[in-house]
Amino acid sequence: MSSSFDQGNLGDHDWLITRTGLPSIESVVDDAEPITEFVCPPFIPPRRSSRRYSMMMNALCMGGVMNEWEKRVIFSRLKPVPPVVEEEFQRRLCTIHERNTADYIHEVQLRAATQAAVAQEERRLGYEEENVKREAVFARHKNLTNILHEEIKICRARRWYTIVLSHVFLTALMKERRVHEALDKISWILVPVIKRRSEVKRRHEEAEKLTRSNLDNIPFPTPNIILSMYGTFFQGWPPRLLEMLARKARPIYLKAGNFLMHEGDLDRCMYMITTGSVSVIINDRKKGKKRTKECSKASFALTPPCYVGEFALVCKEPRSASIQCETDVGAWIVSPEDYEEVAQHLSPEVASKQREATDVRRRANLQKFFPLRVEFLRHFPYFEKFSTEALKQIIAAVEPIVLHDGDPLFSRSDMDSSAYFIQDGVAILIDEDGERRSVPRGSCVGIFECACSVNERKRCTIISKNYCDIWRMRREVLIDVGMSEPAALLYCRSAAKSHRAKEVVKPANPPISVRKDPYILFTLTRQLMNRLWESSVPVIYLNDEKLVVQGQPFHQFIILHSGAFETTILCGNGEHKVVRINVNNDGYVMEVLSSSSNNDRSKGSTVNSKMFFSLILGAYEYASGMSQYSSTVTSYGLSEAFVVDVALFDAIVPAELKEIIQEEGEARELVRRCHKERDASILLSNMQEGFASNYRKGKEIPTKNENNWT
């Protein structure tokens, strides 16, 4: 079998191509080897079964033999492979090697790259062309979507516009209806009041007109006329002051049948009647509410000259009776302000007698008309836990006190254990610096000394301004009532202590006890010292009250501010001493109360100045990492301190400093040694080894490294 070869038209792989003709079935059968039995391998089943496939598989599985026609068809499909001519193959291979030079290969690569670039560019242009179409389609779609959304919004807006408009209309209609109803109600309520006020105003105008027209018919109350009036109110007054009082009075003229005053009125004016007669009517409510003689339980006449309403003037009591004019009456009105202005010029003897008489009446009126009430005591935090019955017992045991202008309730340095409730009037508090401030009515003063059984001298003075009505509660009364309700009494003491602590003046800067404390200097930075002082709150401790107890959990710092404190200290020689520390602004002084060596000479002596005691309870425990207090400190008398919660302070301490305090064993050993030997120089001389110093060094090293890198 021959094949043609064209060297000029030879392609890259044309040398592998052989051109042969398709043989006939007869030639294949004649040239083939003898046919042996052929067993077909199993076929992969098609996706869909067919009848022919089923018959073929059945024949194979049953051991059937292929017929002659099937064998010939299979052989006709097999292409015979011509034998390889080695010389021709070598010749063609050499030709290929000669052709495949570097330039030819580079040219083929360039042609392939060019074709690839052209194809890529065609694809890119096609993509861009299609992308423009896609963007146009997307823009149309987006535009249609926006139009649809706008139409939906407009449709919803139209619906909501109707709803909102209806709601606004109904709201305005309801508001207008309420306004009309309110106007009707106000008119229904205020019309009688307006009519009453109009009537009163008209009567006042008529009374003023009547007074002006009858001014000549009202005799002037000369000193002789005033002294001739029935009663002892003006007894001892000099004529000069009586004339001054009469000059300040205002005239009034009333027709017969009118009332000069009504029972129960709170008017504080006094009337000096110089012409006409009046009847004093004491109403009997059992007979009726009418203020007539028929409904009265007592009635008597007064003839001029006379005066009425003097106790309402000086005692601030309601009118105790009604006064009706029997004839036309001319009188002169004295106001409380005018009376006070004139009464200041009275002699001490006359003023004292008049004051005694009015004070008795004022105290009786205070108990009768203005007693203490449970609701009044309830608004004070001290009495929140007391029962109503207990408060009623307190109200029944309090004493009324009435003060005139300038009278002191108590003075500075007085020993007074009572609490005072200002029922009416205004008092003036004068503090140690001479600064004055008002104490309004409804206030309670002195509750700390009363509730906490503190016998300290008053630090301020309280005087009355004009008139003051005050209730006094003695300490014995509160203690007796509190014994039946101890929980309420303890709560009262706690509230009184909290109120008293608010009066403690906290310095703006940390005191020297904080700035110079060795434990604090050794442990904390200057910034943390300031934060410690800023977060402190003042606290008051009573006599024999324990500030800290040895073995209890360490949960707060206590900065001793003022007062005396007792504790037991361990000296360097192993001796135990019970000492009293007197703390003030200048520092502290320790006094030995008892000693374990039974040395009587040491009792009452002053401790060596080199012996150190920290005025910050908890500073040693914090520096040494202890979780419990190492000593017991008791307040001797009344003392003041500032407290800082350890948990709150720990929240502002940097984590690096906490880690240093926990890991520095040598520094902690110095702290324990200082506490054991009571020698502050141990820490002061080793400040460079302290926790705060190591913390500052750790902060400086990264800064230096950053500077070196820069």
Side-chain angles (χ1 to χ4, degrees), residues 141-155:
H141 172 73
K142 188 175 181 180
N143 187 27
L144 293 175
T145 304
N146 293 336
I147 293 173
L148 179 60
H149 289 169
E150 293 297 330
E151 290 179 353
I152 293 174
K153 290 181 181 179
I154 292 173
C155 182

Side-chain angles (χ1 to χ4, degrees), residues 195-266:
K195 290 182 179 180
R196 174 68 176 173
R197 290 182 65 88
S198 301
E199 182 67 20
V200 171
K201 185 177 180 180
R202 184 185 63 80
R203 290 185 180 182
H204 284 174
E205 292 176 353
E206 291 179 355
E208 291 177 359
K209 184 178 180 181
L210 183 63
T211 300
R212 287 194 299 268
S213 61
N214 294 277
L215 191 59
D216 297 336
N217 299 328
I218 306 174
F220 183 77
T222 61
N224 294 330
I225 294 177
I226 296 176
L227 291 175
S228 65
M229 293 179 179
Y230 177 78
T232 60
F233 186 77
F234 293 106
Q235 185 177 359
W237 280 54
R240 179 179 60 85
L241 296 182
L242 292 176
E243 185 175 359
M244 185 186 301
L245 183 65
R247 295 290 181 187
K248 293 181 176 294
R250 294 181 293 107
I252 185 174
Y253 192 85
L254 298 176
K255 288 290 186 178
N258 292 333
F259 281 87
L260 186 63
M261 64 180 66
H262 294 282
E263 182 180 352
D265 289 349
L266 296 177

Side-chain angles (χ1 to χ4, degrees), residues 609-621:
S609 59
K610 294 183 179 180
M611 184 171 291
F612 164 68
F613 178 80
S614 177
L615 296 184
I616 304 179
L617 306 182
Y620 163 69
E621 287 79 1

Side-chain angles (χ1 to χ4, degrees), residues 16 113 124 129 152 189 193 248 274 289 320 328 333 436 452 476-477 568 598 613 671 689 697:
L16 296 175
R124 187 184 64 79
E129 183 179 357
I152 293 174
I189 295 175
V193 177
K248 293 181 176 294
T274 56
K289 295 183 179 180
S320 58
D328 293 350
I333 304 173
R436 292 171 171 254
C452 299
E476 295 78 11
V477 174
T568 302
N598 296 324
F613 178 80
V671 173
E689 301 179 11
K697 292 177 183 177

Side-chain angles (χ1 to χ4, degrees), residues 29 56 85 125 171 211 253 258 302 373 413 419 481 548 594 647:
V29 174
M56 184 184 301
V85 181
L125 293 175
T171 303
T211 300
Y253 192 85
N258 292 333
L302 290 178
R373 301 186 182 276
S413 301
V481 175
V548 296
S594 63

Side-chain angles (χ1 to χ4, degrees), residues 16 22 90 99 141 163 230 239 287 332 335 344 398 427 443 462 467 475 523 545 551 604 676 695:
L16 296 175
L22 185 63
Q90 289 293 337
R99 186 195 62 183
H141 172 73
I163 296 173
Y230 177 78
K287 296 181 181 180
W332 295 83
S335 65
Q344 292 178 357
V398 294
S443 302
I462 293 182
Y467 285 95
R475 178 188 295 172
T523 308
E545 184 177 357
K676 182 178 180 181
Y695 173 72

Side-chain angles (χ1 to χ4, degrees), residues 681-692:
S681 61
I682 296 176
L683 295 181
L684 296 177
S685 60
N686 294 280
M687 281 296 170
Q688 68 278 2
E689 301 179 11
F691 305 120

Side-chain angles (χ1 to χ4, degrees), residues 664-674 682-683 691:
E664 291 291 339
E666 296 180 359
R668 195 180 301 112
E669 188 62 31
L670 289 174
V671 173
R672 293 171 182 168
R673 181 183 165 195
C674 172
I682 296 176
L683 295 181
F691 305 120

